[in-house]
Amino acid sequence: MRLVFTLVLMVLAIAVVGYAHRQLARQVPPSPRRWLGHGLLALVAVAFGWAVTSVYMGAEEGGGIAAFVAAIGVAHLPPAIVLFLKQQQAR
C-alpha cells in the first residue's frame, strides 16, 4: 500500500511540474523572461529537492528518490496555482 501511495504521489508531482511549465509557456510571451522563469523555477525546485533528499536519504529503499520528486512537485505547486488563477481571470 505504501508503494502505491508513493507512486501516486510521484505521478501527481510530475503532473504539477508539467502543468506549471506548460502554463508558463502559454502565458508568458517568448522572450528571455520566459526562459528565466523556467530556469529559476527549475533551479529552486532542484535545490528544494536536494535539501529534502538530504534529510530522507536514510529512508527506505527508493525513499530518497520519492522525496526528491515529491519536493520538486511541492516547489512547483505555488506557481502552478498562481498560473491557474491567472488563466481563470483571463477567461
Side-chain angles (χ1 to χ4, degrees):
M1 187 65 179
R2 187 178 292 170
L3 177 63
V4 172
F5 176 71
T6 303
L7 290 174
V8 168
L9 180 68
M10 290 175 69
V11 168
L12 287 174
I14 292 169
V16 168
V17 170
Y19 178 81
H21 283 282
R22 183 171 177 225
Q23 288 302 105
L24 187 62
R26 282 183 167 182
Q27 294 182 19
V28 178
S31 66
R33 216 172 110 198
R34 180 198 285 182
W35 294 109
L36 179 66
H38 285 296
L40 189 60
L41 185 55
L43 181 69
V44 168
V46 169
F48 184 62
W50 175 76
V52 169
T53 304
S54 67
V55 172
Y56 289 104
M57 206 51 169
E60 300 175 10
E61 184 178 319
I65 295 169
F68 183 77
V69 171
I72 285 179
V74 167
H76 280 80
L77 193 57
I81 291 171
V82 169
L83 291 167
F84 174 76
L85 293 174
K86 201 172 167 186
Q87 178 190 20
Q88 295 303 315
Q89 184 181 17
R91 285 185 182 181

